[in-house]
């Protein structure tokens, strides 16, 4: 699937929705400030852009959450989005996994969409400090977006 976009919407203090918008459907994932979901998605993009054949992004949401599993990357990567009922307890961690979506996506498109998503969030909140307040104290992943910008080589913005 080469036609998709990514969105990150803060929906309340320390609560956000990550969206994978496909032609036929939208996959929405709720996440909270118990982790740095936006930073995790950007790190997965950095890993894939850097040549890794696999990556994981964690989107926790007390006590459960979702993971984006990327595998077999070359120009395209197989992506599985899996929800888990429990991502925090010692005994039940990773229990109740449920596949939400799977398919192949372009690595380049994912990387560019992740960068664009982060740029849009930063533009909406105008600066990293405002994002930190809205996101419940977790800072905006400045280092990740800076490294992604450098690797992509697009200093005009990433739209």
């Amino acid at each position: 699937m080469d036609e998709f976009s990514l969105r990150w919407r803060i929906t309340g203090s320390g609560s956000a929705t990550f969206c994978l918008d496909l032609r036929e459907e939208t996959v929405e994932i709720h996440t909270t400030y118990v982790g740095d979901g936006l930073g995790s998605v950007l790190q997965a993009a950095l890993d894939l852009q850097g040549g890794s054949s696999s990556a994981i992004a964690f989107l926790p949401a007390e006590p459960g959450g979702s993971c984006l599993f990327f595998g077999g990357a070359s120009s395209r990567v197989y992506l599985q989005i899996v929800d888990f009922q429990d991502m925090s307890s010692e005994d039940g961690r990773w229990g109740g996994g449920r596949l939400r979506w799977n398919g192949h996506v372009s690595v380049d498109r994912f990387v560019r969409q992740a960068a664009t998503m982060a740029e849009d969030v930063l533009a909406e909140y105008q600066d990293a400090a405002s994002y930190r307040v809205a996101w419940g104290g977790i800072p905006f992943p400045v280092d990740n977006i800076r490294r992604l910008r450098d690797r992509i080589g697009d200093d005009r913005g990433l739209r």
Side-chain angles (χ1 to χ4, degrees):
M1 173 70 52
D2 291 329
E3 296 291 325
F4 66 91
S5 62
L6 303 176
R7 288 181 292 130
W8 181 270
R9 291 186 332 259
I10 293 181
T11 56
S13 181
S15 181
T17 302
F18 169 80
C19 299
L20 170 64
D21 292 316
L22 304 156
R23 264 190 265 179
E24 314 80 38
E25 65 182 309
T26 296
V27 180
E28 293 186 351
I29 300 168
H30 173 73
T31 187
T32 65
Y33 69 95
V34 297
D36 182 9
L38 181 59
S40 189
V41 171
L42 291 177
Q43 184 60 55
L46 280 163
D47 292 346
L48 293 169
Q49 196 282 328
S52 179
S53 64
S54 63
I56 299 173
F58 296 98
L59 300 165
E62 306 170 287
S66 300
C67 289
L68 282 63
F69 296 105
F70 300 88
S74 56
S75 64
R76 299 176 58 72
V77 65
Y78 183 63
L79 169 60
Q80 292 181 318
I81 299 174
V82 181
D83 289 340
F84 293 95
Q85 294 174 1
D86 185 349
M87 289 181 73
S88 57
S89 73
E90 290 295 320
D91 295 336
R93 187 172 295 153
W94 301 100
R98 180 179 68 88
L99 182 65
R100 293 269 310 275
W101 187 85
N102 65 302
H104 286 88
V105 297
S106 160
V107 169
D108 183 62
R109 178 82 179 173
F110 178 79
V111 167
R112 291 185 177 279
Q113 283 297 305
T116 297
M117 174 182 67
E119 292 285 341
D120 288 347
V121 169
L122 195 55
E124 179 180 348
Y125 288 91
Q126 298 164 5
D127 61 31
S130 297
Y131 174 86
R132 184 179 196 142
V133 169
W135 190 233
I138 293 180
F140 183 83
V142 172
D143 290 340
N144 284 1
I145 191 60
R146 197 171 286 144
R147 286 187 307 168
L148 206 50
R149 284 179 189 150
D150 290 346
R151 286 187 184 181
I152 293 172
D154 186 348
D155 58 2
R156 300 170 288 123
L158 300 166
R159 298 190 192 283

